[in-house]
Amino acid sequence: MYKKLCVPVIPDAWEKFLESAELLKTAPTRTIMRITCMKEINMDTPEKFTFLVEKMLPDLVECKAYAWMGHSRQRLSNDNAPDYSEVMEFAQKLGGATGYEIYFPSLTILH
């Protein structure tokens, strides 16, 4: 999945990413792992991200929706953009697999 999505130009990019991920858990600051959720690409089994969460031990895991815009429109379609409920379902499954809690299940805008 990594090579398909990121199209790395260095042959050992995944290995270097994993080395960097290992360092994250020792960073002397708050850390966040961001997952861009893309339908039919990486949302079918949230549990596959468990090993990365365990390797990085971030303070927060942000699950966000892919937006069909920019250069990505050449590789993906608008059908790959999940709605809020799909991202929440993904986050809940990932939280269940990792022990992380949902922190902001909805956003309220106050005037």
Side-chain angles (χ1 to χ4, degrees):
M1 179 187 331
Y2 176 79
K3 287 183 179 180
K4 179 182 177 184
L5 290 176
C6 296
V7 193
V9 293
I10 359 180
D12 60 346
W14 178 245
E15 291 75 20
K16 290 187 182 297
F17 170 78
L18 291 177
E19 287 176 26
S20 297
E22 189 75 32
L23 296 173
L24 192 65
K25 66 183 167 193
T26 60
T29 187
R30 286 178 57 101
T31 56
I32 299 174
M33 176 183 175
R34 290 190 170 93
I35 300 172
T36 302
C37 298
M38 295 168 276
K39 281 198 300 193
E40 300 175 10
I41 305 285
N42 68 351
M43 295 182 70
D44 56 336
T45 49
E47 300 80 21
K48 287 185 179 178
F49 287 91
T50 302
F51 88 98
L52 283 176
V53 174
E54 290 170 352
K55 181 179 279 291
M56 296 174 159
L57 295 177
D59 295 304
L60 302 167
V61 177
E62 177 188 29
C63 299
K64 58 185 186 160
Y66 162 73
W68 189 61
M69 56 190 294
H71 186 69
S72 72
R73 292 185 302 169
Q74 296 174 15
R75 298 182 292 125
L76 301 170
S77 77
N78 195 35
D79 293 336
N80 297 117
D83 63 27
Y84 178 82
S85 64
E86 292 166 318
V87 175
M88 275 301 297
E89 181 181 344
F90 176 90
Q92 288 168 340
K93 288 180 181 176
L94 181 61
T98 61
Y100 280 62
E101 297 178 35
I102 303 294
Y103 192 64
F104 288 112
S106 65
L107 298 176
T108 304
I109 299 172
L110 301 175
H111 184 267

